Amino acid sequence: MFTSVLMIEKPLTAVDVDFVTTLHGDDRVSFIVLMQPRGDQDRLLRAIDDVALGELPEAIREGDEPEGADAVAPAEKALDHSLQALRAKGSEAVGQIVEDHPLDKLKSVVEETGADEVIVLTAPHFVEEFFHRDWASRARHKVGVPVLKLFAHNE
């Protein structure tokens, strides 16, 4: 069985689930999902990304995004939704919320599980990607397995 560590920041959409569960054709895939609460990311960078994508109403609402402990419950709900969706497609899936140092956690999960790859599935983060400070760019130098960067879909 192929093992993928899937890093996400919001619940998987049906399109995302279809995409990641078919990446390896008919091979069975087991997913370890790491979910970072969205509020734990830099509010200014999120707003810049929203503006760059032409999503001005979203940029205005960034201040309403829960942060810290308030972000954990929505993240747990998003993680549960994502795990159920992956399992419904026939994949094995476990996951956890990552509150501190997501790349350190990613590295330890890859090492502990012997994962075959990492898939980073997030919205575009233009500023971070331009400076190669996004999760995928940084993970490529840290985890020792292939890292695939995919953009999440909106429903």
Side-chain angles (χ1 to χ4, degrees):
M1 181 174 301
F2 203 82
T3 302
S4 295
V5 178
L6 179 59
M7 290 189 72
I8 61 174
E9 60 187 2
K10 65 180 191 172
L12 296 175
T13 66
V15 174
D16 295 331
V17 172
D18 285 342
F19 192 53
V20 299
T21 57
T22 59
L23 279 173
H24 299 287
D26 293 332
D27 293 341
R28 290 185 35 98
V29 180
S30 171
F31 291 97
I32 303 160
V33 182
L34 301 179
M35 170 81 182
Q36 183 184 25
R38 185 164 153 79
D40 286 351
Q41 300 148 11
D42 187 281
R43 184 183 303 174
L44 176 61
L45 291 178
R46 291 193 323 253
I48 291 170
D49 290 337
D50 291 338
V51 170
L53 289 169
E55 298 173 353
L56 297 178
E58 291 297 321
I60 293 167
R61 286 192 291 271
E62 285 300 342
D64 298 334
E65 192 75 33
E67 294 186 359
D70 294 336
V72 175
E76 288 173 344
K77 186 176 180 181
L79 176 61
D80 185 56
H81 164 83
S82 299
L83 294 174
Q84 288 180 29
L86 290 167
R87 291 175 189 144
K89 285 290 187 176
S91 296
E92 292 182 15
V94 296
Q96 61 184 289
I97 302 297
V98 179
E99 296 184 61
D100 297 317
H101 310 291
L103 292 174
D104 292 339
K105 185 62 175 179
L106 173 64
K107 182 179 179 181
S108 68
V109 167
V110 168
E111 290 172 352
E112 291 167 10
T113 63
D116 299 295
E117 70 179 356
V118 170
I119 301 171
V120 177
L121 183 72
T122 64
H125 296 292
F126 296 110
V127 174
E128 292 170 324
E129 289 168 17
F130 180 78
F131 291 106
H132 303 284
R133 302 301 301 154
D134 59 298
W135 284 346
S137 296
R138 292 168 42 204
R140 286 186 180 105
H141 303 288
K142 194 164 191 138
V143 297
V145 297
V147 176
L148 178 61
K149 167 70 174 164
L150 301 174
F151 291 118
H153 293 81
N154 291 328
E155 282 193 311

